[in-house]
Amino acid sequence: MNAMKLSLIRSACSGLRVHPRSRAGGWTRRCPTVGPAAGQSTFRAASDATGRGTSAKLGLHLRQQSRKTDGSECAASLREVVQHTKDAMDVLQRRNPPIQPLLAIVQAGEDDSLLEINKKMAGKIGLNITQICLAKQFSEDEIVEEVLKLNEDPRVHGIYLHLPSAALTTRVLETLKPEKDIDGISDLNIGRLVRGDLSKGFVSPLASAVLDVLEKHDAPLEGKTVLLVGGEGRVGSALQCLIERSGMVALKNNWNLEILQRQVMQSDAVVLLGGGNIDILPTCFRPGAAVIHCEPTLESDDHAFELSSRSGIGYLTAAYRAQNVVRSCSRWIQGQQYRPWRLRSLKLQPLTPVPSDIEISRAQIPKPVNQLAEEVGLLPEELEAYGRSKAKVCLSLLDRLHTQPDGKYVLVAGITPTPLGEGKSTVTIGLVQALSAHLSLNSFACLRQPSQGPTFGVKGGAAGGGYAQVIPMEEFNLHLTGDIHAITAANNLVAAAIDARMLHEATQSDKALFNRLVPSVNGVRKFSPIQFSRLQRLGIDKTNPASLTPEEVTSFVRLDLDPSKITWQRVVDTNDRFLRKITVGQANTEKGQIRETGFDIAVASEIMAILALADSLEDMKNRLARMVVGTSRSGQPVTTEDLGVSGALTVLMKDAIKPTLMQTLEGTPVFVHAGPFANIAHGNSSVLADKLALKLVGRDGFVVTEAGFGADIGMEKFFNIKCRASGLRPNVVVLVATIRALKMHGGGPNVSAGAPLPKEYIDENLSLVAAGCHSNLKKQIQIAHLFGIPVVVALNVFKTDTQAEIDLVCEIAKGCGASDAVPCNHWAQGGRGSIKLAQAVNEAASRPSNFQFLYNIEMPIADKIRTIAQKVYGADDIELSPAAKDKIDYYNQQGYGLLPICMAKTHLSLSHMPDKKGAPTGFVLPIRDVRASIGAGFIYPLVGTMSTMPGLPTRPCFYDIDLDPVTGEITGLF
């Protein structure tokens, strides 16, 4: 057989599951399928429209034919193609049992002749077929609509447009996905054929069938002349290309009688491709010339291998079409596998002095997010773009890459910080820039989304800084993809539901409440699904509302919330101190339902903590349903599911659960997701972002995520809460330190945001540095070792630091047990300034770790609190207030005793006393109260007074933030 003939699939991809979207229901309502054993076809008609019908039949009347191709030639090829395709199909399904390749035929009218031929081939090979029948009169829009649906359906592996040539407009062909164009009519597939690149595209099945018959008819083919009659379309062009690549000469005639007879006399074969009606004299044919009819006439005999010359080409074409469908399915499976990265880094040209953050950000043009996604192995259908520079990533990625080994997991934590922050975000970004852009190691940064509270308040944004930033930084810091707004909406819906329910219970009888909560619709009264959950919690095993007893009706309709024990507050993502305590219900319409409540900042909402800890949409829904909003007068917890609002919360959060993809200044990928407080919550980015990134980077790649505040808070909660929830185990801890923070812990004066730094922090002072290293730095290294994880100290270098101070820190850190300690200059140099850190992390990650939790989850609540206080903070013991003891007893009674602990304490000291620096000892940790986030899944003891609503300073950051109305550029962000 000729070498240019399409090769057959002899192997298939292994180890892959069906794309999650293929599990969606409703398939038979849109595209009914014809399986291999089905007895008859099924149809779906489209709306009527004007247009042409199917193409005219082919017709060349031969008074005598020199040599007509017989059915045996087609039958031999047919058996061979069918057998090879069946073999490929068997291998494909043996390795991927859920996969069933599907061919979709789009045609005008309900003519079954073509379907019958393809159905017979499907039955022999094992394909499914669906037939979509447009009206006889159809429009271009209808074709495009059908093609778009089939393009996006992962169950469809091949699309055959059996339509008139005039209907295959440029718009239609541009809409058709080349990877599903199994008839090879799209521009890309025709172009690939012309170039001779058959590794990705498809060749017309009819052209392949004709070439096959020519090969069987007379060999060798080289130098033969083939006349194509009526082949002005794309199929004719494809056949001409195949013929010429096989060494033959192709002549074309579009039914021009004047030259047709002369061309027939010159030709070794005549292929009839188009409609026409011309008589040819027998003397016109060369002796032994073949005549191939391309009209697919269906024979009445069901035995597909007993073929005439006309029906033979039809069946052989159908066999090649089926082969292309199997090949398309195999390619789709291969496309679902892990894709090696092809990351193109962006070049940096650092300036001295270093410009402002926003100037640096604006000077770098980010890659289009779809390009970045492709570089890191994401599929187009896994991306939901929000503009040019950011996009949501679908969780279906986890199903697609479920067999892919995780990469290495790195946590960036810090020593106890000054109020100015020590640069964990910049270290995180500088590290991934160094790993990917300079060491060519796949790496992902996973960061929290910043609240607009600090952005407009005192601290500014959280996109990093200098030449280690996420870009565009203004988009990162302002709104992003609206996740915090979704949390605000969901949180406040719960608050509204609480107050409304209390009002209605206070002003209505049991019967009135029941009739409104379970209304009669068209004479039928029934419970909604979420109400069955409440009935189950109450121990009522009934499905008919009419069967409830009066006592059961009362239990069902009355949550009986105690106003003094409502724990749920409203939220807003602004530092607004005057909302810390408010009074609601003062209007006359609220009928005296007045109570005190307050606002938290949006990122302090329990819904934010849930977003960060959920590992699937279902898990998030269950966690949202478990949230406790208060306690009834009888002492029972009341949940959002009891309120009937948890399903609506999931709807509001359905997009927020998807991480947002962005990039660093050097074009390396970043996931931005979630932003829980690091005091009353766990202060880490999301489990889902980490899991997605760990799959994408590959076995030898790195995922670098950041913990809030110092290692005593963010890191401890990362290990004991987030790692318990996710099942993930870190390989390395990067502990960020600054010389100014070490000087503060060594006895230096206090530091205040906005105030000039005292001279001790500007001038060299080795004694303060050494004291800070031997106290706070040493203690934080020891905390990491409690969990069995190696530590690399990253010294974030400032321009006021001296070389002697830098060398001293690195020397003492190694002496305190760090695997390595390196200075980092990423702020001024980008990834190049963190190459040594990247090398140290890579080396530390290659060593075995012995991760362990700090406490057993089954320990009593008080003992878990005590373990953290003594081993992490250095306290002698804890002191529980009477209120804290009562709460612990209550939580044990309600079955919450097995939850992990999330300590709420100051971040400015290892102790509960903000002014106690270094590594305090000899103190007792006071626990004034104990609260629970049941949906998030932790108990949080309160150590001192925690503010969940920051206030604005005298001169907030918003004084400097403005918009240029001419250019549209934002100024003042830093």
Side-chain angles (χ1 to χ4, degrees):
M1 304 295 280
N2 189 277
M4 290 305 299
K5 190 172 178 183
L6 289 178
S7 60
L8 297 171
I9 306 172
R10 299 190 179 275
S11 63
C13 304
S14 62
L16 293 175
R17 300 169 61 187
V18 179
H19 193 289
R21 288 174 58 187
S22 67
R23 296 198 294 263
W27 166 241
T28 56
R29 291 196 295 272
R30 206 188 81 75
C31 290
T33 59
V34 178
Q40 61 183 17
S41 61
T42 51
F43 306 90
R44 182 179 60 76
S47 58
D48 293 337
T50 59
R52 292 187 52 188
T54 54
S55 57
K57 289 187 176 181
L58 314 175
L60 175 63
H61 296 276
L62 307 176
R63 294 180 181 174
Q64 181 180 348
Q65 184 172 306
S66 175
R67 179 182 173 190
K68 183 179 179 181
T69 58
D70 57 37
S72 63
E73 293 172 345
C74 288
S77 294
L78 181 61
R79 280 191 292 268
E80 181 180 334
V81 175
V82 168
Q83 187 58 51
H84 287 174
T85 307
K86 283 178 64 177
D87 292 344
M89 183 74 171
D90 291 342
V91 173
L92 187 150
Q93 291 197 308
R94 187 166 59 249
R95 296 180 179 178
N96 305 274
I99 299 293
Q100 185 69 45
L102 175 65
L103 167 64
I105 301 175
V106 180
Q107 66 181 63
E110 299 185 0
D111 180 9
D112 285 354
S113 58
L114 180 75
L115 179 67
E116 288 300 318
I117 294 176
N118 285 278
K119 188 170 70 171
K120 287 186 177 183
M121 288 301 102
K124 292 184 175 296
I125 293 170
L127 303 180
N128 278 344
I129 295 181
T130 184
Q131 184 183 35
I132 298 172
C133 299
L134 303 172
K136 286 287 187 181
Q137 305 297 318
F138 58 86
S139 68
E140 183 184 60
D141 287 343
E142 287 180 293
I143 304 173
V144 169
E145 181 182 356
E146 296 300 335
V147 171
L148 286 172
K149 292 175 184 175
L150 297 172
N151 279 346
E152 299 308 315
D153 194 326
R155 292 164 292 192
V156 174
H157 302 100
I159 302 173
Y160 172 31
L161 301 179
H162 181 53
L163 298 168
S165 298
L168 301 178
T169 62
T170 299
R171 181 184 171 209
V172 169
L173 294 176
E174 287 178 349
T175 302
L176 179 62
K177 274 189 175 182
E179 57 266 34
K180 293 190 177 185
D181 168 32
I182 44 85
D183 263 56
I185 60 173
S186 64
D187 290 344
L188 183 57
N189 280 330
I190 291 290
R192 285 167 171 163
L193 176 61
V194 172
R195 291 200 315 269
D197 178 12
L198 305 182
S199 61
K200 293 182 179 179
F202 294 104
V203 175
S204 162
L206 177 57
S208 297
V210 170
L211 185 65
D212 197 341
V213 172
L214 287 174
E215 291 173 336
K216 287 288 196 301
H217 175 74
D218 193 5
L221 298 177
E222 188 171 354
K224 304 294 183 183
T225 300
V226 180
L227 174 63
L228 307 179
V229 182
E232 70 275 10
R234 291 170 178 258
V235 173
S237 299
L239 181 56
Q240 180 182 359
C241 185
L242 283 179
I243 287 172
E244 292 174 349
R245 286 186 177 280
S246 300
M248 294 181 280
V249 177
L251 303 176
K252 297 188 71 174
N253 188 294
N254 295 328
W255 302 103
N256 187 324
L257 180 61
E258 195 172 310
I259 61 175
L260 177 61
Q261 291 188 351
R262 183 173 73 251
Q263 288 179 320
V264 168
M265 294 179 65
Q266 298 172 354
S267 302
D268 299 293
V270 179
V271 180
L272 311 179
L273 289 169
N277 209 358
I278 301 175
D279 287 342
I280 301 293
L281 294 173
T283 55
C284 293
F285 287 92
R286 296 177 63 174
V291 178
I292 301 175
H293 292 267
C294 296
E295 178 184 0
T297 303
L298 181 66
E299 297 293 301
S300 58
D301 190 345
D302 285 341
H303 197 291
F305 290 86
E306 296 176 5
L307 305 166
S308 70
S309 63
R310 294 187 177 215
S311 65
I313 284 292
Y315 280 111
L316 186 56
T317 299
Y320 272 109
R321 183 173 292 118
Q323 176 180 286
N324 281 352
V325 174
V326 174
R327 178 180 285 112
S328 174
C329 183
S330 179
R331 289 174 181 171
W332 179 82
I333 293 172
Q334 291 173 354
Q336 301 301 299
Q337 292 182 322
Y338 177 79
R339 297 182 175 188
W341 283 25
R342 296 176 298 165
L343 189 68
R344 178 182 67 85
S345 61
L346 301 177
K347 300 302 180 184
L348 276 185
Q349 295 181 329
L351 300 177
T352 304
V354 177
S356 70
D357 291 351
I358 197 164
E359 288 175 313
I360 294 172
S361 173
R362 196 167 288 149
Q364 185 72 290
I365 299 176
K367 294 178 284 189
V369 70
N370 58 338
Q371 177 187 328
L372 174 65
E374 182 180 3
E375 290 175 354
V376 300
L378 285 162
L379 303 181
E381 58 266 28
E382 292 168 342
L383 208 66
E384 297 175 3
Y386 281 65
R388 183 182 181 276
S389 305
K390 55 187 182 294
K392 289 284 191 182
V393 174
C394 297
L395 305 187
S396 58
L397 172 70
L398 289 175
D399 287 322
R400 178 169 70 87
L401 298 182
H402 76 283
T403 61
Q404 170 68 21
D406 287 345
K408 297 169 184 176
Y409 200 25
V410 180
L411 174 68
V412 176
I415 65 171
T416 303
T418 68
L420 307 178
E422 309 318 308
K424 293 190 300 297
S425 296
T426 59
V427 169
T428 299
I429 296 164
L431 174 56
V432 296
Q433 288 180 170
L435 287 166
S436 290
H438 298 275
L439 299 185
S440 299
L441 295 169
N442 295 351
S443 70
F444 240 103
C446 290
L447 300 176
R448 290 182 292 170
Q449 178 182 348
S451 163
Q452 78 173 35
T455 299
F456 290 101
V458 64
K459 190 176 179 182
Y467 288 101
Q469 287 189 57
V470 179
I471 57 172
M473 69 92 79
E474 57 264 53
E475 293 185 25
F476 179 94
N477 285 312
L478 302 173
H479 304 294
L480 200 61
T481 49
D483 292 357
I484 293 179
H485 301 315
I487 289 166
T488 302
N491 185 102
N492 292 344
L493 178 61
V494 176
I498 292 169
D499 288 317
R501 185 60 175 265
M502 292 173 65
L503 170 68
H504 295 313
E505 288 189 21
T507 57
Q508 297 180 46
S509 65
D510 291 354
K511 181 179 180 180
L513 279 170
F514 188 74
N515 288 340
R516 287 179 172 87
L517 289 171
V518 191
S520 177
V521 180
N522 297 325
V524 178
R525 193 185 300 275
K526 61 181 181 180
F527 294 115
S528 64
I530 201 167
Q531 289 175 330
F532 280 117
S533 299
R534 171 145 179 84
L535 290 169
Q536 186 177 10
R537 275 170 56 85
L538 294 171
I540 301 173
D541 187 20
K542 295 180 180 179
T543 59
N544 183 1
S547 65
L548 266 63
T549 67
E551 292 78 12
E552 290 170 339
V553 167
T554 300
S555 297
F556 173 74
V557 301
R558 296 207 175 272
L559 302 180
D560 199 26
L561 273 161
D562 185 339
S564 66
K565 294 183 179 179
I566 293 173
T567 55
W568 197 264
Q569 301 209 117
R570 289 166 172 80
V571 299
V572 63
D573 198 34
T574 302
N575 292 358
D576 193 345
R577 68 175 71 242
F578 285 90
L579 292 178
R580 289 171 179 169
K581 181 173 287 190
I582 63 171
T583 303
V584 296
Q586 296 189 75
N588 293 334
T589 52
E590 275 51 80
K591 302 178 182 179
Q593 298 298 309
I594 300 174
R595 68 181 183 91
E596 282 191 351
T597 181
F599 273 77
D600 297 328
I601 196 163
V603 291
S605 171
E606 183 177 354
I607 298 176
M608 176 62 89
I610 287 173
L611 178 65
L613 290 171
D615 65 4
S616 67
L617 184 61
E618 182 180 10
D619 183 37
M620 183 181 72
K621 180 178 180 180
N622 293 335
R623 287 174 180 269
L624 291 172
R626 292 197 301 266
M627 292 191 301
V628 174
V629 301
T631 306
S632 70
R633 288 184 172 88
S634 62
Q636 295 302 309
V638 177
T639 67
T640 54
E641 192 170 54
D642 292 324
L643 281 168
V645 73
S646 57
L649 301 182
T650 308
V651 171
L652 287 171
M653 294 292 294
K654 68 180 180 63
D655 293 319
I657 196 173
K658 303 166 190 173
T660 300
L661 176 67
M662 295 188 75
Q663 62 193 283
T664 69
L665 279 166
E666 297 192 56
T668 64
V670 178
F671 273 141
V672 186
H673 202 211
F677 256 33
N679 45 22
I680 64 166
H682 63 293
N684 292 273
S685 65
S686 76
V687 166
L688 280 169
D690 292 357
K691 285 192 169 185
L692 291 170
L694 284 165
K695 294 298 182 186
L696 285 170
V697 297
R699 186 193 302 271
D700 298 322
F702 290 83
V703 172
V704 184
T705 189
E706 176 193 346
F709 295 147
D712 55 306
I713 299 181
M715 184 185 72
E716 181 270 314
K717 295 174 182 179
F718 175 88
F719 291 143
N720 282 320
I721 298 175
K722 185 176 179 180
C723 289
R724 284 186 201 272
S726 67
L728 300 174
R729 301 293 180 260
N731 299 91
V732 184
V733 167
V734 173
L735 189 65
V736 178
T738 61
I739 286 175
R740 73 182 181 193
L742 290 170
K743 287 180 177 179
M744 180 186 72
H745 291 295
N750 288 334
V751 174
S752 300
L757 282 174
K759 63 180 182 62
E760 288 86 348
Y761 297 100
I762 299 173
D763 299 335
E764 182 177 285
N765 193 319
L766 297 179
S767 61
L768 287 179
V769 171
C773 288
H774 286 297
S775 58
N776 196 269
L777 178 62
K778 179 180 179 180
K779 177 62 177 177
Q780 302 287 17
I781 293 172
Q782 291 172 347
I783 293 171
H785 287 164
L786 289 173
F787 297 91
I789 305 298
V791 178
V792 173
V793 171
L795 181 61
N796 188 13
V797 175
F798 286 70
K799 61 183 180 181
T800 55
D801 301 340
T802 68
Q803 190 61 47
E805 290 174 330
I806 293 170
D807 293 341
L808 180 61
V809 172
C810 294
E811 178 185 348
I812 296 176
K814 294 176 188 177
C816 291
S819 299
D820 205 345
V822 294
C824 302
N825 293 283
H826 45 273
W827 184 81
Q829 301 174 20
R832 188 172 303 279
S834 286
I835 291 177
K836 289 183 179 180
L837 175 62
Q839 291 169 334
V841 168
N842 189 20
E843 183 179 348
S846 64
R847 301 172 187 168
S849 62
N850 184 29
F851 177 77
Q852 60 186 4
F853 293 115
L854 185 65
Y855 52 79
N856 189 320
I857 202 70
E858 296 181 354
M859 289 171 60
I861 293 175
D863 289 348
K864 287 183 280 194
I865 298 171
R866 183 176 289 106
T867 299
I868 295 172
Q870 292 177 334
K871 293 188 176 181
V872 176
Y873 307 152
D876 289 341
D877 201 352
I878 63 172
E879 181 181 5
L880 296 170
S881 70
K885 291 178 182 178
D886 290 343
K887 288 286 189 66
I888 290 174
D889 291 340
Y890 174 74
Y891 294 142
N892 285 328
Q893 176 190 347
Q894 295 299 326
Y896 303 147
L898 298 181
L899 294 177
I901 302 300
C902 184
M903 299 291 285
K905 79 168 187 72
T906 179
H907 62 287
L908 297 175
S909 172
L910 280 163
S911 72
H912 60 287
M913 300 166 283
D915 57 333
K916 298 294 184 181
K917 307 302 181 182
T921 58
F923 63 93
V924 174
L925 191 73
I927 310 298
R928 70 175 181 87
D929 197 3
V930 178
R931 298 178 184 172
S933 292
I934 304 304
F938 51 72
I939 303 288
Y940 61 100
L942 298 180
V943 183
T945 301
M946 290 294 108
S947 174
T948 54
M949 172 55 80
L952 290 173
T954 304
R955 192 185 188 281
C957 295
F958 61 63
Y959 273 82
D960 301 309
I961 298 172
D962 203 351
L963 182 76
D964 187 321
V966 176
T967 65
E969 289 186 342
I970 296 171
T971 59
L973 284 175
F974 58 89

